[in-house]
Amino acid sequence: MSGMEMPLVDAPAQQGMQVSNFEAWSADDVAEYFSQRGYQQYKALFVKHDLTGQRVILLTPPDIEKMGIEIIGHRLGIQKELRSLKSAARAVVRNKVIAQEEEAFDGSCVKRYLQTCCGLFPLERDVYVLTTTTLKIKDYEVARCFRTKCPCMGGSWSNDAVPLQKILGVETLMSTQGMACFLEHKCTILLAVSAGTGAETEESRVEQKVLFVEGDRGESFANRIRNQIEEYKVFSHGDADVA
């Protein structure tokens, strides 16, 4: 098998060159990566042009020619390796976790004590994971006994992945529960999510997702979601430019 045909995951582990940490690659790492794929004669060019991991995935065919790589076959081979690297890098970026929160308990400490059967059963909380492209909601539904949630009867998990481009708005509602020294602050995050053009009416094309987080952490998490939606728009535009 030639260097050009080696699988993407075959980068030497001793070089710390796993694609999962491509953003930390130096120009020397990038040069070594392409050297392992049969282009060792161009190592100095990658270093000379300071092509780090974050920069090399922006490289275009005209850029490769401007670097001084004159042999057309080599330019085409490097482009092929770049396409594989860009594809792997996009997957890494898509799955990168930006922030994570757990569901707050909706009620007083007394209610929590009763709902967990006097503390005998763990309180399973929903988990909200924000990545660069998606908001993942891991929801736990407790089984009910005569309309009352009963953890001792178990429950089931479900997963919902909401693409950031479908989130139309993020609002927060602050509330307090309990009293005196038992006073707790809660934050409800309301997400307006596009249901797609397949919905029957304009109103049904927008659905609402509800996240419930502890006090100030909820407001901070909502801001992270808003900021990441804007970052995603920039990322998507740049991704299209370099694909």
Side-chain angles (χ1 to χ4, degrees), residues 18-150:
Q18 299 299 322
V19 176
S20 59
N21 70 336
F22 80 95
E23 293 176 306
W25 286 2
S26 66
D28 287 322
D29 292 329
V30 171
E32 180 62 26
Y33 177 87
F34 283 95
S35 175
Q36 290 290 325
R37 278 146 181 79
Y39 302 102
Q40 56 268 30
Q41 66 267 49
Y42 301 117
K43 289 181 69 172
L45 287 179
F46 285 101
V47 176
K48 174 184 176 181
H49 292 279
D50 197 19
L51 291 171
T52 63
Q54 294 186 24
R55 294 168 182 166
V56 74
I57 61 172
L58 303 176
L59 209 60
T60 63
D63 293 330
I64 296 173
E65 184 176 0
K66 290 177 183 178
M67 286 172 61
I69 300 175
E70 298 179 352
I71 300 175
I72 294 177
H74 289 183
R75 292 207 299 259
L76 293 174
I78 291 173
Q79 287 177 40
K80 177 184 176 182
E81 296 299 339
L82 270 174
R83 284 194 295 270
S84 296
L85 179 58
K86 289 176 181 180
S87 177
R90 283 194 292 267
V92 170
V93 171
R94 280 196 299 269
N95 295 315
K96 184 177 180 180
V97 175
I98 303 300
Q100 178 173 319
E101 287 293 342
E102 284 189 337
E103 176 190 28
F105 182 76
D106 188 9
S108 66
C109 58
V110 175
K111 181 180 178 181
R112 178 166 50 221
Y113 187 70
L114 293 175
Q115 188 166 314
T116 56
C117 297
C118 302
L120 294 176
F121 296 93
L123 181 63
E124 300 285 1
R125 301 176 185 267
D126 294 353
V127 180
Y128 316 124
V129 181
L130 176 65
T131 71
T132 52
T133 61
T134 308
L135 176 63
K136 300 177 181 179
I137 304 173
K138 187 177 181 181
D139 177 64
Y140 185 78
E141 182 63 30
V142 177
R144 292 178 178 270
C145 179
F146 300 107
R147 297 185 180 182
T148 301
K149 291 185 177 181
C150 187

Side-chain angles (χ1 to χ4, degrees), residues 2 11 14 19 48 103-104 113 116 137 142 171 180 184 186 197 200 227 240:
S2 68
Q14 65 269 26
V19 176
K48 174 184 176 181
E103 176 190 28
Y113 187 70
T116 56
I137 304 173
V142 177
E171 301 293 336
E184 297 181 4
K186 311 289 182 179
T197 56
E200 296 181 358
N227 293 338

